Amino acid sequence: MTDLATASPGSEAGAVYRHDIPAECPWSRVLKRGQTLRIVDSEGQQAVDALLYCADDPAERYSAQDTLRAQGSAYIDLGTRLVSNKGRVMARITADSCGRHDTSAGCCSCESNAVRFGESTKYQHACRENFIMELSKHGLTKRDIVANLNFFMNVPIDPSGNFTVVDGISAPGNYVDITADMDVIFVISNCPQVNNPCNGFNPTPIRVAIWDPPAL
Ligand SMILES: [Zn+2]
């Protein structure tokens, strides 16, 4: 059996899929077991919100709580196993040139923007709207949105449990590789937030690429 933990590719040359996701836009794709998805922060300081669902039974989905508990860590980084609400490993982080990803701060929404940044921001596009649009392609709705991953988002958590979204540390071209342990629907919102520093106040495109598992 292929060791999924060592399946990360070296260059984009052998990728079976490549796509640039425009600023502020959603994207999704079924990732087959053993395939590796690379997310590239093309221009740096861009938060990438993500959700995972078991392709065979989307009622099984990414669980931030189970993932943090299983890891004993407050952050997502190299080697982290992304755990489902049924306690199974859905995917794992197999390469990471950034070193800091969040799964505590959730995704932005029109409602939370209005509360946090004022009524005038209520009609700005937000991750929750991106997720609703993209989930609809897979027969899922806003009821299926759960606590999500935030790749490249810098959310330090202090010893008392307080956290704040601060300036991103990802540089242009930083990437994270996620290798699937089961067939998953991988959903991304390229975060449109302009009211806090998670995107450097300037949302930018990101790039995704997918590799098949290495030949046995
Ligand atoms: Zn967002």
Side-chain angles (χ1 to χ4, degrees), residues 125-208:
H125 190 54
C127 281
R128 189 170 169 82
E129 282 60 51
N130 269 342
F131 278 146
I132 291 169
M133 288 194 295
E134 203 62 30
L135 290 174
S136 70
K137 299 177 182 175
H138 304 279
L140 300 168
T141 74
K142 58 185 177 184
R143 295 185 62 171
D144 296 298
I145 299 174
V146 293
N148 59 289
L149 286 150
N150 291 306
F151 292 109
F152 308 114
M153 192 156 101
N154 190 13
V155 187
I157 301 173
D158 72 21
S160 61
N162 297 315
F163 61 77
T164 311
V165 179
V166 299
D167 288 350
I169 59 171
S170 60
N174 272 178
Y175 62 88
V176 59
D177 287 357
I178 305 107
T179 301
D181 281 69
M182 61 172 72
D183 294 355
V184 296
I185 304 167
F186 203 104
V187 184
I188 281 176
S189 166
N190 192 9
C191 181
Q193 181 62 269
V194 291
N195 302 293
N196 72 23
C198 69
N199 304 319
F201 300 100
N202 177 35
T204 48
I206 57 172
R207 184 166 177 81
V208 288

Side-chain angles (χ1 to χ4, degrees), residues 4-8 36 38 71 73 75-82 91-102 151 175-179:
L4 297 179
T6 60
S8 284
T36 294
R38 174 169 293 178
Q71 260 43 245
S73 168
Y75 308 106
I76 306 295
D77 51 23
L78 181 64
T80 299
R81 290 155 287 141
L82 305 181
R92 62 191 74 206
I93 308 300
T94 46
D96 176 17
S97 68
C98 174
R100 174 56 68 89
H101 312 278
D102 166 77
F151 292 109
Y175 62 88
V176 59
D177 287 357
I178 305 107
T179 301

Side-chain angles (χ1 to χ4, degrees), residues 36-139:
T36 294
L37 169 70
R38 174 169 293 178
I39 306 171
V40 183
D41 187 355
S42 304
E43 299 185 22
Q45 286 199 321
Q46 176 59 49
V48 179
D49 294 49
L51 290 167
L52 290 78
Y53 299 82
C54 172
D56 293 332
D57 174 18
E60 181 173 10
R61 69 259 321 248
Y62 174 70
S63 168
Q65 297 87 345
D66 289 294
T67 295
L68 295 183
R69 187 160 47 235
Q71 260 43 245
S73 168
Y75 308 106
I76 306 295
D77 51 23
L78 181 64
T80 299
R81 290 155 287 141
L82 305 181
V83 177
S84 78
N85 57 343
K86 294 188 176 179
R88 298 201 298 160
V89 177
M90 305 185 79
R92 62 191 74 206
I93 308 300
T94 46
D96 176 17
S97 68
C98 174
R100 174 56 68 89
H101 312 278
D102 166 77
T103 193
S104 300
C107 75
C108 61
S109 69
C110 296
E111 295 81 1
S112 65
N113 280 345
V115 170
R116 296 168 69 194
F117 308 115
E119 279 292 312
S120 63
T121 65
K122 187 173 182 179
Y123 300 100
Q124 292 175 350
H125 190 54
C127 281
R128 189 170 169 82
E129 282 60 51
N130 269 342
F131 278 146
I132 291 169
M133 288 194 295
E134 203 62 30
L135 290 174
S136 70
K137 299 177 182 175
H138 304 279

Side-chain angles (χ1 to χ4, degrees), residues 3-44:
D3 180 357
L4 297 179
T6 60
S8 284
S11 78
E12 224 179 87
V16 295
Y17 174 89
R18 286 168 240 178
H19 179 67
D20 288 300
I21 304 175
E24 307 186 8
C25 287
W27 172 91
S28 67
R29 187 127 177 138
V30 173
L31 206 58
K32 294 288 188 183
R33 182 182 183 279
Q35 284 188 321
T36 294
L37 169 70
R38 174 169 293 178
I39 306 171
V40 183
D41 187 355
S42 304
E43 299 185 22

